[in-house]
Amino acid sequence: MLPDHHLLPGTATGTVLVLRLCCFVSSNTYVPLFGCILVKLCLSSLHVQAIVNNLDDAHEQIDTAIATALRESKPVYISVSCNLAGLTHPTFSREPVPMFIAPRVSNKQNLEYAVEAAAEFLNKAVKPVMVGGPKIRVAKAKKAFAGIADASGYPFAVMPAAKGLVPEHHPRFIGTYWGAVSTTFCAEIVESADAYLFAGPIFNDYSSVGYSLLLKREKAVIVQPDRVVVGNGPAFGCILMPDFLRALAKRLNRNTTAYDNYRRIFVPDRDPPNGKPDEPLRVNILFKHIKEMLSGETAVIAETGDSWFNCQKLKLPDGCGYEFQMQYGSIGWSVGATLGYAQAAKDKRVIACIGDGSFQVTAQDVSTMLRCGQNNVIFLINNGGYTIEVEIHDGPYNVIKNWDYTGLVDAIHNSHGNCWTKKVRTEVELKEAIAMSTGAKKNCLCFIEVIVHKDDTSKELLEWGSRVSAANSRPPNPQ
């Protein structure tokens, strides 16, 4: 029997979530074996649903769902009735038939018009810049974006949800563009540009810091996976992002003016000073040491909360993976994501930064990590509550029941599998724990509970939270 839910992440085409709902079919009856709440929550973000309760069209439904997931890089839902799953049917051949998905192509004439309009627009600019958005992944345009960055000479940044999709070791990479909480000097260069190319952006309340970005539409070329808009118009459809970026790279005049300006004003950030031997551990000290753990053989999972902002500051080495979910701000997402990523990317060791409140939502996934023999490093940041929610909308509901987190994981471990846990309260203890996790316990799942003050947050969270709170509490528009 298939499990109730199974996570299948893909590093190249985006995460695909296939939910398999075991149910019983009798005559015209369709009875789920678990509640519909989870299903209703998931269906709003799904691209295709396939409910298999009849073998005559089961082959077609399953093929359609899987093909859609691969082609669109979007989640699909396949529900198979448990009393049908083991039956045979003529439509399913004895030997699997290789699947062929017809490639999508751009409208050539529209592509030429769009490239001409965008090249004219950008070549007239004095100090143009580029910003990569999260839809670069769905559009399979990472190489094309890096190619146009090389050819154009423009400085380029990423939106927060696109971190990890562009090469951060590139000499003209200037960091994360996130409005008032951007990487130092990044927002100043982007927002002062007289033209910007945004590839695959998503502008919502979180990515725009409460709709406070200082951007002007008439200065922007917006490239979506299958559409291009130049300034306030014209717009061109039926154009694939990789085709457009590759063609545009050949038509742009090289222009390093904005990057030259960036180099003139840039002052490198300094690491925080080391703590005293018995001084309580600070969050910025924690991430200073996490940064030193990164390599091309690691991947970072950043949970919703203050880890959003602290992980954005990590400079990713070439090949280092990164996942960051902000479209829905799903609290607890990272525990399951750590499980799925590690299971798919066997060549990387996953380093997850998870808050205590988030961990309480999905802690049981650690059990499956142990059953699968994963060697993830989980930093459980225990500050006693939902800190990000305190900054957006404070209340007593943001204070949570404190757990013995290492004790819980030890209980889940139950002497079966490879697991090592440790509580740390000082920098000295943290350094010892990291040394153990990367040395003697490198083949174990390492769970490090980091105990910090409840008000110890990044300055970016304080700024972002106040702006998003103001946006959320604004009066409604009159009807």
Side-chain angles (χ1 to χ4, degrees), residues 195-218:
Y196 11 79
L197 171 67
F198 275 87
I202 294 178
F203 296 107
N204 56 26
D205 54 344
Y206 284 2
S207 65
S208 66
V209 197
Y211 307 106
S212 64
L213 302 183
L214 301 179
L215 300 174
K216 296 182 178 179
R217 185 181 182 87
E218 61 268 20

Side-chain angles (χ1 to χ4, degrees), residues 42 69 113 204 216 278 343 425 469 473-474:
C42 292
Y113 290 153
N204 56 26
K216 296 182 178 179
D278 296 326
Q343 198 62 16
R425 294 178 171 83
S469 175
S473 60
R474 67 191 187 281

Side-chain angles (χ1 to χ4, degrees), residues 283-476:
V283 171
N284 55 12
I285 295 290
L286 165 65
F287 281 91
K288 180 181 75 170
H289 290 286
I290 291 177
K291 179 177 67 174
E292 296 170 357
M293 299 174 66
L294 303 185
S295 71
E297 298 177 347
T298 60
V300 177
I301 303 288
E303 173 59 75
T304 301
D306 199 27
S307 292
W308 271 4
F309 306 94
N310 288 305
C311 288
Q312 283 291 325
K313 301 175 190 178
L314 298 174
K315 189 69 176 289
L316 302 181
D318 188 19
C320 183
Y322 188 90
E323 295 297 333
F324 166 82
Q325 194 285 123
M326 77 175 310
Q327 180 66 12
Y328 301 102
S330 301
I331 292 175
W333 160 87
S334 67
V335 188
T338 298
L339 164 62
Y341 195 111
Q343 198 62 16
K346 300 286 190 180
D347 59 330
K348 295 187 184 297
R349 191 176 192 190
V350 178
I351 299 171
C353 302
I354 306 173
D356 50 346
S358 299
F359 185 76
Q360 289 193 7
V361 179
T362 48
Q364 68 275 14
D365 279 335
V366 171
S367 177
T368 308
M369 295 179 199
L370 289 169
R371 181 170 62 83
C372 294
Q374 296 180 1
N375 67 335
N376 311 319
V377 180
I378 297 176
F379 288 97
L380 188 286
I381 304 169
N382 184 350
N383 58 8
Y386 290 111
T387 306
I388 190 170
E389 296 295 338
V390 169
E391 302 307 325
I392 297 174
H393 194 282
D394 198 8
Y397 38 78
N398 290 323
V399 179
I400 61 176
K401 174 70 176 67
N402 192 34
W403 290 1
D404 179 0
Y405 294 97
T406 55
L408 173 66
V409 173
D410 286 336
I412 293 173
H413 175 216
N414 195 25
S415 301
H416 295 286
N418 293 321
C419 181
W420 178 76
T421 64
K422 181 70 174 176
K423 291 182 189 285
V424 300
R425 294 178 171 83
T426 66
E427 183 178 11
V428 172
E429 292 176 349
L430 173 67
K431 292 167 71 174
E432 292 173 351
I434 290 176
M436 183 68 75
S437 69
T438 56
K441 302 296 183 180
K442 66 179 181 181
N443 294 321
C444 296
L445 187 147
C446 296
F447 185 90
I448 302 173
E449 181 180 350
V450 183
I451 300 172
V452 297
H453 192 276
K454 68 182 182 67
D455 294 325
D456 186 358
T457 68
S458 64
K459 69 180 183 64
E460 289 82 6
L461 173 57
L462 300 177
E463 177 72 25
W464 180 90
S466 63
R467 289 174 180 261
V468 171
S469 175
N472 289 351
S473 60
R474 67 191 187 281

Side-chain angles (χ1 to χ4, degrees), residues 121-130 154 188-197 214-221 231 255 257-258 261:
F121 183 90
L122 293 169
N123 285 336
K124 289 192 300 185
V126 175
K127 45 183 181 179
V129 300
M130 291 173 48
Y154 300 173
E188 292 82 355
I189 294 299
V190 171
E191 293 178 345
S192 66
D194 55 347
Y196 11 79
L197 171 67
L214 301 179
L215 300 174
K216 296 182 178 179
R217 185 181 182 87
E218 61 268 20
K219 293 183 178 182
V221 175
N255 187 337
T257 302
N261 290 343

Side-chain angles (χ1 to χ4, degrees), residues 86-198:
L87 301 181
T88 60
H89 194 268
T91 56
F92 291 90
S93 61
R94 184 175 298 273
E95 296 297 328
V97 178
M99 177 177 286
F100 175 77
I101 301 175
R104 298 176 63 195
V105 297
S106 298
N107 180 301
K108 288 187 177 181
Q109 189 170 18
N110 251 16
L111 177 61
E112 291 176 5
Y113 290 153
V115 169
E116 181 180 356
E120 181 182 3
F121 183 90
L122 293 169
N123 285 336
K124 289 192 300 185
V126 175
K127 45 183 181 179
V129 300
M130 291 173 48
V131 181
K135 291 185 181 179
I136 287 178
R137 184 206 300 267
V138 175
K140 302 177 179 65
K142 291 192 287 186
K143 289 185 178 179
F145 185 86
I148 195 171
D150 282 333
S152 66
Y154 300 173
F156 65 94
V158 292
M159 299 183 75
K163 186 176 177 67
L165 299 182
V166 305
E168 297 193 5
H169 59 282
H170 194 286
R172 286 192 301 280
F173 177 71
I174 62 173
T176 299
Y177 173 63
W178 201 354
V181 296
S182 299
T183 303
T184 310
F185 305 109
C186 178
E188 292 82 355
I189 294 299
V190 171
E191 293 178 345
S192 66
D194 55 347
Y196 11 79
L197 171 67
F198 275 87

Side-chain angles (χ1 to χ4, degrees), residues 224-298:
Q224 296 294 5
D226 55 6
R227 188 173 183 82
V228 176
V229 181
V230 180
N232 287 323
F236 305 91
C238 302
I239 299 171
L240 300 183
M241 185 188 294
D243 295 341
F244 175 79
L245 294 179
R246 283 192 292 264
L248 182 61
K250 300 174 183 177
R251 299 282 298 275
L252 291 180
N253 299 330
R254 190 170 179 82
N255 187 337
T256 62
T257 302
Y259 181 66
D260 294 338
N261 290 343
Y262 172 78
R263 288 178 56 197
R264 279 188 282 268
I265 67 173
F266 177 72
V267 178
D269 289 331
R270 293 185 298 175
D271 285 335
N274 294 332
K276 298 177 182 178
D278 296 326
E279 182 183 358
L281 184 60
R282 302 194 306 273
V283 171
N284 55 12
I285 295 290
L286 165 65
F287 281 91
K288 180 181 75 170
H289 290 286
I290 291 177
K291 179 177 67 174
E292 296 170 357
M293 299 174 66
L294 303 185
S295 71
E297 298 177 347
T298 60

